[in-house]
Amino acid sequence: MLFLRHHYVQARAVAEDGPESIRRAGLRPTHTPAVLITRGRIDQQLGKIAGLTPADERRKAFRLLIAVLADARRRERFCSGGCGHWWHRLPAADPAAATSPSDGTS
């Protein structure tokens, strides 16, 4: 998780990325990682998100952190001419699959 957090600094994540990332991750706005990303300085909040410890919160945090990396705003602004960022090659999230009762993350 801390490895992912490091990539956010490199990816120039900003607070405005939060709401769209929450939607892409298939999280409810009341889930702990979603609440954290929408409050305060994003670099500090991403550190808190990466440090969440209960297993269900870590799964939600992971989904959110990946959604932040896959953000289209930065891709269009900084990588429109092509890039080698692995996170820009991630498949689109399926919110229905991400919140299914079988994985315990709903």
Side-chain angles (χ1 to χ4, degrees):
M1 296 292 267
L2 294 175
F3 175 77
L4 287 176
R5 183 192 177 278
H6 170 74
H7 284 300
Y8 300 115
V9 174
Q10 301 301 314
R12 301 179 186 108
V14 294
E16 291 77 26
D17 296 332
E20 177 62 15
S21 298
I22 292 166
R23 186 195 66 75
R24 287 177 48 105
L27 299 179
R28 286 185 240 147
T30 56
H31 286 148
T32 303
V35 170
L36 288 172
I37 202 169
T38 59
R39 296 198 175 154
R41 292 183 44 197
I42 194 162
D43 57 335
Q44 292 175 349
Q45 300 307 325
L46 289 171
K48 292 176 186 176
I49 292 167
L52 291 172
T53 54
D56 63 324
E57 293 298 329
R58 288 188 69 75
R59 283 190 292 272
K60 293 171 193 170
F62 181 79
R63 289 187 353 229
L64 180 61
L65 295 176
I66 291 296
V68 171
L69 278 179
D71 177 62
R73 178 193 59 82
R74 285 186 311 284
R75 186 181 316 175
E76 291 169 6
R77 182 169 179 199
F78 300 110
C79 301
S80 62
C83 70
H85 297 125
W86 61 266
W87 55 84
H88 286 162
R89 294 185 302 274
L90 293 171
D94 179 0
T99 58
S100 69
S102 63
D103 70 5
T105 61
S106 58

